[in-house]
Amino acid sequence: MKATAPDPASDKKGHICPPSSARHPSDRWESLFVYGFICKFTQLRTKIEGFYTPMDFEDALLTPEPNLIMTQILSRFVLNLRPGTRNLSSDVISSTVAGVLQEYFKTSERTVFWDDSLRANVDPFQDMPEGFFVANWDLKLKILRQLVELQLCHSQEIKAIIDRAWGVVHNKHKKAESSTQPPPPGDPNSQERLQLVPLGQDRERKRYWVVDDSPRVYLSTNPWKITATFQTIASSRDEYTAILEKIRETAPPEPKAGERRPKLETAHLALLRALEDRTEIIDNELARIQRAQKKIQQRNMLIASAELRETRTRRRTTRPDYAYMNHPESEGEADEYTYHPQEEEDDEYEDNTEFDDFGDPIARRGAAGARRSTRTNGTRPGDDWSDWKGERRSTRLGAPADTQLDPPPPKRARTDDSAVSGNSGDVAPANGKAGSGLKIKINGAAAVKPSETAVEAVAGKKKSKFWYYAVEPVLGAPIPAPPTSDSAPQSESSKADADAMSDERNGNGLPGLRYPSVSPSASGSNADDLYEKSIGGSLSPTSSMDES
């Protein structure tokens, strides 16, 4: 005979609870179940900012947008089931959770989303194209409950914590690598701390549940019955005090002498004592939460004020007022920027700079002062220095050279070529040979006086190519021999020069040394050659210290 397939309709139904009529997550037992797992098996409450009480969890569950609390909870649950997962950000956490659930839906294990007609688990994300966060709070709470149940059954980390708390040892024949003794009662992973049991029950057999140190209190009837109810009766300090007073008023009276209290009365008195002992704990927890929220509020205020604060590094919206913007043509032109091409002016300026070393320094300064920017007011102003005649103005501010009372000192000649330009203050000596190479200053403190004669070397003095000697004849003094070669005879012109020099005196009226001209005679060719070799190099003028 062939074996007949079992009729699905004839299968015995398990314990099925009626659908809940709760309108808020606080009145669903799944909220207590999920939040209790978070408090006992994770450290999320100490790591997530703003996650302190069951009320915070419920607010995150009701939010239709991605939030930090719910994202971190889902990430922790996924990591417990699939260690090493990386796609945990708020924009992809929905698809990650859907992938984890699909792996377990493929098995025959019945989950919250089991369909008896299909005899398979139905993926809840098929009806959520926009993701987890936009779903209603009831569906999100069911998904969280399913994730918690999967962790309790399949997560190796969670199972190890439970086995150690209850003293379960696997593979007893193997040598134990660590201690198998259960943790003490005060340990967070101990059996007493991991169990979620009612705080107590009253005379009416109603259970009171608490999961942390907050004033939240849940009330339920017998959870082993299908008709069990679940609701929240206290969420604040005032509501907790009102519940405590109500239980104190309904407390049983003292029994008569020799009588024993019934179990319900004893349980009621134990519940009253447990609620009274939690009063101080609740006050401390509320104070801690208030301090943490105050710090968050202060930080947010600082962040908001920092966005409004103007820093010195921020760019100004108005143009700075420079010296050449003191008198704009109009108020609007001082702040507006008008672009004008200056290619021709820039090219002309670059061409002039190539010959700065060969031009007049006064003219260069005047040209630098005359060049003014048109980027400020758009037009090139006229001569603004016409009213400054007779007053000394600095050329650094762009004053023309003709407004200066004291002419600037000429610059030194840098090369042999620049020495012959009009920029240099050196000229060839009036006396002596024209090709001697001596360059004599005619301006400044080192200028040669009309009564003096520039010579290259003086008897007993050091000769150098960097300076020369200015001598002045003295009346009545003998004429010494010139410092030239002995073989060169003295010509008639040299003697005439010496006689002329002897009749001159210096400007101060003081007698000076009498020296003849050291220019070689025209008839001495050898002396000419020696003289040319000795002073053939260009003599630079005196240093800048002599000019000052």
Side-chain angles (χ1 to χ4, degrees), residues 433 484-491 519-534:
K433 190 177 180 180
T484 58
S485 175
D486 296 340
S487 62
Q490 190 174 11
S491 63
S519 301
S521 62
S523 60
S525 61
N526 295 335
D528 253 345
D529 297 338
L530 294 175
Y531 187 78
E532 290 294 337
K533 291 180 181 179
S534 62

Side-chain angles (χ1 to χ4, degrees), residues 215-487:
R216 169 60 65 89
V217 179
Y218 300 94
L219 179 67
S220 71
T221 56
N222 189 357
W224 301 104
K225 293 183 178 180
I226 296 179
T227 57
T229 59
F230 187 89
Q231 61 179 343
T232 298
I233 58 175
S235 299
S236 63
R237 181 67 169 79
D238 297 337
E239 294 176 352
Y240 186 86
T241 304
I243 294 298
L244 184 60
E245 293 297 332
K246 181 179 178 180
I247 295 176
R248 186 179 290 114
E249 292 175 358
T250 58
E254 292 292 334
K256 297 180 180 179
E259 292 184 359
R260 297 181 58 182
R261 288 184 179 276
K263 293 182 178 180
L264 293 179
E265 294 181 1
T266 303
H268 188 96
L269 294 175
L271 173 64
L272 179 60
R273 288 191 297 268
L275 292 175
E276 291 175 348
D277 294 341
R278 294 187 72 252
T279 303
E280 184 178 358
I281 299 175
I282 291 174
D283 293 338
N284 296 336
E285 180 67 11
L286 292 178
R288 185 190 68 84
I289 294 174
Q290 186 176 5
R291 290 192 301 268
Q293 292 176 349
K294 186 177 181 180
K295 289 182 180 180
I296 297 175
Q297 184 178 5
Q298 291 177 353
R299 187 188 62 185
N300 294 336
M301 292 178 62
L302 289 176
I303 294 174
S305 61
E307 295 178 355
L308 301 176
R309 189 187 307 117
E310 181 180 0
T311 58
R312 290 182 295 176
T313 58
R314 182 166 295 183
R315 191 172 183 179
R316 297 180 57 183
T317 57
T318 59
R319 295 181 60 85
D321 187 10
Y322 294 108
Y324 52 81
M325 293 175 60
N326 291 335
H327 303 287
E329 296 182 1
S330 63
E331 296 182 358
E333 293 180 356
D335 295 333
E336 296 180 358
Y337 169 74
T338 305
Y339 174 75
H340 296 277
Q342 297 183 354
E343 297 180 358
E344 299 179 358
E345 298 178 2
D346 294 341
D347 296 341
E348 181 181 357
Y349 179 74
E350 293 176 358
D351 296 340
N352 292 336
T353 55
E354 298 179 359
F355 303 97
D356 281 350
D357 295 338
F358 303 97
D360 187 7
I362 299 178
R364 288 201 309 270
R365 290 188 178 91
R371 187 176 188 271
R372 298 179 59 78
S373 174
T374 60
R375 297 179 181 179
T376 305
N377 46 23
T379 57
R380 183 178 298 280
D383 188 6
D384 297 338
W385 299 92
S386 59
D387 299 335
W388 294 95
K389 299 295 184 181
E391 183 179 352
R392 187 174 184 270
R393 301 292 294 173
S394 174
T395 57
R396 297 180 179 177
L397 299 179
D402 54 359
T403 61
Q404 306 298 318
L405 298 181
D406 299 333
K411 291 187 177 181
R412 299 176 7 177
R414 299 294 182 183
T415 60
D416 293 341
D417 297 336
S418 62
V420 298
S421 65
N423 186 29
S424 176
D426 302 338
V427 297
N431 50 358
K433 190 177 180 180
S436 62
L438 286 176
K439 302 176 183 63
I440 304 173
K441 300 288 290 186
I442 62 173
N443 294 326
V448 178
K449 298 179 181 179
S451 60
E452 294 177 346
T453 302
V455 295
E456 182 183 8
V458 179
K461 299 295 183 179
K462 185 179 179 180
K463 175 185 175 181
S464 175
K465 65 177 182 179
F466 299 106
W467 65 78
Y468 57 88
Y469 296 90
V471 298
E472 185 177 6
V474 180
L475 296 177
I479 300 175
T484 58
S485 175
D486 296 340
S487 62

Side-chain angles (χ1 to χ4, degrees), residues 174-213:
K174 293 185 179 181
K175 184 177 180 180
E177 298 179 358
S178 60
S179 177
T180 58
Q181 295 295 330
D187 191 279
N189 292 331
S190 62
Q191 182 178 352
E192 291 77 9
R193 300 289 296 273
L194 293 179
Q195 285 181 334
L196 184 58
V197 294
L199 183 64
Q201 63 178 2
D202 56 7
R203 299 175 60 180
E204 300 176 356
R205 298 179 182 273
K206 293 181 179 179
R207 274 77 168 175
Y208 290 76
W209 305 78
V210 295
V211 70
D212 59 356
D213 296 335

Side-chain angles (χ1 to χ4, degrees), residues 139-156:
L139 182 56
K140 289 191 286 188
L141 189 58
K142 289 181 179 179
I143 294 175
L144 291 174
R145 169 200 168 182
Q146 185 60 56
L147 290 174
V148 170
E149 292 180 353
L150 292 175
Q151 292 176 80
L152 292 173
C153 297
H154 301 284
S155 176
Q156 298 298 328

